[in-house]
């Protein structure tokens, strides 16, 4: 699971070009993003080979100085994740939600993803 989170962070950083932090933290610099695992289910598929199905609900929050820049960052991130699905080992990537969130300091958008992988 740790390697999957690291790969997600690297993909977002590489495409969006902004700092990405794991875990919740309020916006301290703009632009930035945070990534959290909201739920994770691990189902054994083959115990002898140590293979598991991992289903994870991921929340990514983006903060930016303008609504347009925030929207563009989300679009770039989704395109990069879709393109990198194979190299990340993700066989299902679904958008569960996308919402603007009121924030006094910046424009914030919350992206909820569900992904499935076999590790």
């Amino acid at each position: 699971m740790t390697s999957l989170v690291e790969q997600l962070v690297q993909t977002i950083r590489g495409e969006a070009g902004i700092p990405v932090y794991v875990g919740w933290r309020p916006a301290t610099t703009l632009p930035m993003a945070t990534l959290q695992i909201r739920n994770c289910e691990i189902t054994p598929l083959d115990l002898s080979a140590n293979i598991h199905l991992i289903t994870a609900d991921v929340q990514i929050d983006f903060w930016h100085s303008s609504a347009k820049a925030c929207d563009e960052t989300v679009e770039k991130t989704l395109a990069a994740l879709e393109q990198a699905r194979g190299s990340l080992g993700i066989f299902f990537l679904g958008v569960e939600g996308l919402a603007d969130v009121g924030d006094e300091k910046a424009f914030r958008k919350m992206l909820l993803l569900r992904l499935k992988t076999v590790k």
Side-chain angles (χ1 to χ4, degrees):
M1 191 66 201
T2 302
S3 67
L4 178 62
V5 170
E6 289 172 355
Q7 290 173 322
L8 288 171
V9 167
Q10 291 303 326
T11 302
I12 297 166
R13 271 188 194 140
E15 188 56 42
I18 61 175
V20 180
Y21 303 98
V22 177
W24 174 252
R25 70 181 341 186
T28 53
T29 60
L30 295 178
M32 68 171 268
T34 58
L35 183 142
Q36 300 177 74
I37 303 295
R38 293 172 42 123
N39 187 35
C40 183
E41 297 174 18
I42 301 174
T43 307
L45 296 177
D46 184 351
L47 293 177
S48 64
N50 199 23
I51 298 174
H52 300 84
L53 169 67
I54 300 173
T55 303
D57 295 326
V58 179
Q59 176 178 331
I60 307 170
D61 290 275
F62 298 91
W63 283 270
H64 228 296
S65 56
S66 74
K68 181 180 179 185
C70 200
D71 289 342
E72 289 172 350
T73 302
V74 171
E75 288 175 16
K76 287 180 189 177
T77 299
L78 283 172
L81 290 173
E82 185 62 38
Q83 185 176 7
R85 261 177 42 172
S87 63
L88 295 174
I90 297 170
F91 67 86
F92 175 80
L93 177 67
V95 176
E96 297 288 313
L98 182 61
D100 290 313
V101 180
D103 194 307
E104 297 173 358
K105 298 177 184 175
F107 291 90
R108 178 176 160 206
K109 192 164 284 271
M110 180 177 60
L111 174 64
L112 301 174
L113 299 174
R114 172 162 285 182
L115 56 90
K116 293 185 181 191
T117 185
V118 174
K119 298 274 183 188

